[in-house]
Amino acid sequence: GAVVSQHPSWVICKSGTSVKIECRSLDFQATTMFWYRQFPKQSLMLMATSNEGSKATYEQGVEKDKFLINHASLTLSTLTVTSAHPEDSSFYICSARDLRAEAFFGQGTRLTVV
Amino acid sequence: DAKTTQPPSMDCAEGRAANLPCNHSTISGNEYVYWYRQIHSQGPQYIIHGLKNNETNEMASLIITEDRKSSTLILPHATLRDTAVYYCIVRVGGGNAGNMLTFGGGTRLMVKP
């Protein structure tokens, strides 16, 4: 199957700082990427849909000014958590669709805000 | 997308078949059944999907009932590395339809020696 690479796999940052997470489709072009968040012992919750060359679509309750999404190319989407707080600590996962519309997931990024 | 119902947890002995059920009684005619699994602290991994016929690949088999209201994922010879949360997802497949995947609670499969 197609490969989606997410970086970094884990990050620790201080409260108030910003963190950028990258999601790359390595062997296919992805016009659409998705960002999910997963808290401990819970299921994945969709945060936003990232469309190449246009603004992201955010799910209800997700602050677009806090979770900045950029999808500047067909192989890269980034999620920036701005002014991070401890409650933003979570497992962030990206997903990309290939031309067959099948979804492939990155390995996830564990963010810890201290 | 149709909602799915799965048991929250199951145990399976190593080397035995693991049969994971999923109910999707409100499935529509153009919706596929997808299975993903998530091993602890990793992203979800695609397993298999189907529309109405039974499907088999190197990882698993998918059995869909004739009325399509339920399905079963079968891992023929479970190993300890199959311990994970298994998600059954129903969505419209293909093209631009069925963009994102909506995850329910899944089934936490514990394979025991």
Side-chain angles (χ1 to χ4, degrees):
Chain A
V3 178
V4 175
S5 177
Q6 197 172 331
H7 178 79
S9 56
W10 62 270
V11 58
I12 302 173
C13 72
K14 291 184 177 181
S15 186
T17 62
S18 296
V19 174
K20 179 184 285 188
I21 302 170
E22 293 187 348
C23 179
R24 295 181 183 272
S25 55
L26 296 186
D27 51 2
F28 67 100
Q29 293 183 330
T31 55
T32 305
M33 292 186 176
F34 306 92
W35 288 94
Y36 294 82
R37 179 168 53 181
Q38 185 177 32
F39 292 106
K41 297 187 177 181
Q42 295 186 22
S43 189
L44 284 78
M45 295 298 295
L46 181 68
M47 298 176 65
T49 301
S50 168
N51 299 299
E52 187 266 336
S54 64
K55 292 183 179 180
T57 302
Y58 291 82
E59 295 299 300
Q60 190 173 8
V62 178
E63 300 175 57
K64 62 179 182 180
D65 294 330
K66 179 170 183 61
F67 299 99
L68 301 179
I69 292 174
N70 183 279
H71 193 158
S73 76
L74 287 172
T75 59
L76 173 64
S77 175
T78 61
L79 168 68
T80 301
V81 182
T82 63
S83 187
H85 289 105
E87 55 265 32
D88 298 323
S89 297
S90 187
F91 193 51
Y92 293 85
I93 306 166
C94 72
S95 170
R97 287 196 309 133
D98 66 2
L99 291 177
R100 298 171 302 162
E102 302 306 335
F104 299 92
F105 290 83
Q107 63 267 50
T109 297
R110 184 160 303 283
L111 170 64
T112 302
V113 184
V114 298
Chain B
D1 292 342
K3 183 178 178 180
T4 63
T5 304
Q6 299 176 254
S9 64
M10 290 182 63
D11 290 344
C12 177
E14 186 179 18
R16 306 297 293 269
N19 298 288
L20 292 91
C22 180
N23 286 319
H24 30 79
S25 59
T26 60
I27 191 170
S28 300
N30 61 345
E31 289 181 313
Y32 289 70
V33 180
Y34 283 79
W35 283 84
Y36 284 78
R37 73 179 182 183
Q38 185 179 25
I39 296 171
H40 183 62
S41 294
Q42 296 183 23
Q45 176 190 21
Y46 167 83
I47 301 174
I48 198 168
H49 76 282
L51 182 62
K52 54 183 179 181
N53 297 321
N54 297 337
E55 302 288 343
T56 296
N57 63 22
E58 64 278 4
M59 291 183 67
S61 294
L62 173 61
I63 308 298
I64 303 174
T65 58
E66 192 169 341
D67 63 7
R68 302 209 322 122
K69 293 185 177 183
S70 66
S71 61
T72 301
L73 178 74
I74 301 173
L75 307 179
H77 306 287
T79 70
L80 298 179
R81 287 179 293 181
D82 291 322
T83 292
V85 178
Y86 287 77
Y87 295 100
C88 169
I89 300 169
V90 174
R91 71 173 179 101
V92 178
N96 291 318
N99 287 325
M100 81 286 192
L101 295 170
T102 301
F103 288 82
T107 295
R108 187 172 298 274
L109 175 68
M110 179 74 71
V111 180
K112 298 184 176 181

